[in-house]
């Protein structure tokens, strides 16, 4: 009897209660190995392992009846199938949690990047500006990975644009990325060179390095980038929408594309060579009032040595 424990001591070692042990005993899941002459239930130290196994199986969502059946016949085909289904469900939950984690990481990164731009101005160390008034800087950027969908825009074919955007969102959701919300865009180098940004527009959803392979994966290479902060005043757009007018009247420049023109014009002015695709990431995390502004960061890889 020296190696046996009373129910209270055994419960304490297992971090549980005597009530739980009594319930497990009643249903035949974990029974005491002996009883003392005074009626005390006694458990063996080795049963701590049994209790740990029961707790582990319960934590996966298995019912007590399933746990008991598994312990009685670990090789049961039906139970093996049940456990396999539990593994699949846990893996799904892991993907969901990773997607939620990614949202939080992206939100913090968006806020950090925007604050970095704006804090320079507040501290008196304002970033230089283009002739059009855009802030700009040159930064080394690490590699980024995106899942992308082509969303070319053409006046008169707005329904096709919306359908492509919805298809991209549906694809991201099927890939377990439905929780992400940060907007990002890419325009391929050929359309950038032509200045036809709308025709080469792609929607981008950032993915971590360990994400599953996809035929829509786009890698933004590491390198030195010319970055431009675009501030889009939302109040005129919201006013136009409230009046039932077009958000962008004919002849008015698209505020995204005007920033792209300014980025290229700055490079020409400085004698720098731009290469690769153009990327644009929305930095605003919450628009708030209709009078607020939307900030985006447009960038292209740059060689700052003067062009011969």
């Amino acid at each position: 009897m020296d190696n046996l424990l009373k129910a209270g001591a055994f419960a304490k070692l297992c971090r549980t209660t005597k009530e739980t042990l009594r319930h497990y005993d009643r249903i035949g899941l974990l029974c005491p190995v002996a009883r003392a002459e005074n009626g005390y239930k006694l458990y063996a130290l080795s049963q701590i392992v049994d209790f740990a196994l029961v707790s582990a199986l319960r934590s996966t969502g298995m019912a007590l009846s399933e746990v008991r059946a598994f312990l009685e016949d670990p090789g049961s085909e039906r139970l093996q199938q049940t456990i396999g289904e539990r593994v699949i469900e846990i893996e799904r939950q892991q993907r969901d949690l990773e997607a939620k984690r990614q949202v939080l990481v992206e939100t913090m990164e968006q806020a950090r990047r925007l604050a970095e731009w704006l804090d320079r101005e507040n501290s008196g160390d304002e970033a230089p500006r283009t002739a059009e008034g855009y802030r700009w800087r040159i930064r080394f950027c690490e590699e980024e990975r995106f899942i992308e969908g082509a969303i070319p825009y053409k006046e008169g074919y707005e329904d096709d644009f919306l359908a492509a955007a919805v298809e991209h969102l549906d694809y991201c959701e099927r890939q377990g990325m439905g929780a992400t919300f940060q907007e990002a865009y890419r325009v391929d180098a050929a359309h950038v060179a032509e200045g036809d940004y709308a025709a080469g527009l792609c929607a981008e959803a950032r993915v971590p390095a360990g994400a599953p392979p996809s035929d829509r994966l786009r890698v933004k290479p590491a390198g030195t980038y010319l970055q431009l902060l675009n501030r889009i005043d939302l109040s005129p757009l919201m006013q136009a929408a409230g009046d039932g007018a077009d958000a962008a009247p004919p002849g008015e420049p698209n505020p995204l594309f005007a920033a792209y023109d300014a980025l290229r014009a700055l490079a020409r002015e400085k004698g720098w060579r731009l290469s690769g695709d153009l990327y644009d990431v929305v930095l605003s995390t919450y628009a708030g009032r209709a009078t607020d502004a939307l900030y985006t960061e447009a960038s292209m890889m740059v060689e700052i040595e003067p062009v011969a």
Side-chain angles (χ1 to χ4, degrees):
M1 294 293 182
D2 292 341
N3 294 325
L4 301 181
L5 300 171
K6 292 180 182 179
F10 184 77
K12 188 173 183 180
L13 285 175
C14 294
R15 301 294 192 272
T16 189
T17 64
K18 290 193 292 184
E19 288 74 15
T20 297
L21 294 180
R22 280 196 290 268
H23 181 59
Y24 285 2
D25 184 19
R26 282 195 301 270
I27 64 176
L29 184 59
L30 183 64
C31 302
V33 296
R35 286 181 181 270
E37 293 181 358
N38 56 10
Y40 287 140
K41 297 177 182 179
L42 301 176
Y43 291 85
L45 280 172
S46 60
Q47 287 183 287
I48 295 176
V49 177
D50 297 338
F51 183 87
L53 175 59
V54 171
S55 298
L57 295 175
R58 286 284 290 147
S59 69
T60 68
M62 290 181 68
L64 285 175
S65 59
E66 292 175 319
V67 174
R68 182 175 60 190
F70 173 77
L71 296 177
E72 291 173 351
D73 184 10
S76 167
E77 183 176 341
R78 181 181 64 82
L79 287 170
Q80 290 293 325
Q81 179 181 352
T82 298
I83 292 175
E85 292 171 353
R86 297 292 183 191
V87 170
I88 293 173
E89 174 61 19
I90 290 172
E91 290 173 345
R92 184 195 65 78
Q93 293 174 3
Q94 287 177 325
R95 290 193 296 271
D96 288 347
L97 286 174
E98 175 56 29
K100 293 174 183 178
R101 188 195 70 83
Q102 189 67 20
V103 167
L104 297 177
V105 169
E106 289 180 4
T107 301
M108 290 190 298
E109 176 62 13
Q110 281 178 262
R112 185 196 65 78
R113 287 166 68 170
L114 180 57
E116 189 177 17
W117 278 102
L118 301 181
D119 286 350
R120 286 191 63 182
E121 179 176 337
N122 295 335
S123 66
D125 181 23
E126 185 176 352
R129 292 180 180 257
T130 69
E132 299 83 1
Y134 297 100
R135 302 178 183 91
W136 64 269
R137 66 186 182 186
I138 294 176
R139 288 291 173 88
F140 178 84
C141 300
E142 300 291 346
E143 177 184 284
E144 294 182 88
R145 301 163 72 86
F146 299 92
I147 295 296
E148 77 172 18
I151 52 170
Y153 178 82
K154 184 177 180 181
E155 288 190 18
Y157 294 86
E158 286 81 4
D159 289 346
D160 292 344
F161 170 80
L162 292 175
V166 169
E167 194 281 331
H168 170 68
L169 293 174
D170 288 344
Y171 179 87
C172 290
E173 187 169 353
R174 292 195 301 271
Q175 298 296 308
M177 299 168 53
T180 189
F181 70 93
Q182 185 183 28
E183 294 180 75
Y185 305 95
R186 181 184 72 89
V187 181
D188 65 271
H191 284 95
V192 171
E194 296 170 1
D196 190 5
Y197 311 115
L201 196 62
C202 293
E204 308 289 314
R206 183 178 284 106
V207 295
S214 169
D215 57 356
R216 299 192 185 185
L217 179 66
R218 171 66 55 178
V219 178
K220 178 184 177 182
T224 301
Y225 283 81
L226 174 60
Q227 298 177 331
L228 180 147
L229 183 67
N230 186 16
R231 183 185 185 278
I232 302 173
D233 186 2
L234 297 179
S235 52
L237 301 178
M238 297 300 295
Q239 182 64 44
D243 295 340
D246 291 334
E252 288 292 323
N254 184 299
L256 281 179
F257 300 160
Y260 302 167
D261 286 337
L263 182 73
R264 298 171 64 204
L266 174 63
R268 288 194 298 269
E269 174 192 335
K270 298 291 187 180
W272 298 334
R273 180 178 178 273
L274 297 175
S275 62
D277 302 333
L278 186 150
Y279 288 86
D280 198 4
V281 179
V282 176
L283 297 186
S284 299
T285 56
Y286 176 61
R289 303 178 303 276
T291 55
D292 286 339
L294 178 71
Y295 289 92
T296 79
E297 181 185 271
S299 63
M300 286 188 72
M301 193 172 287
V302 64
E303 295 178 16
I304 60 176
E305 294 296 329
V307 176

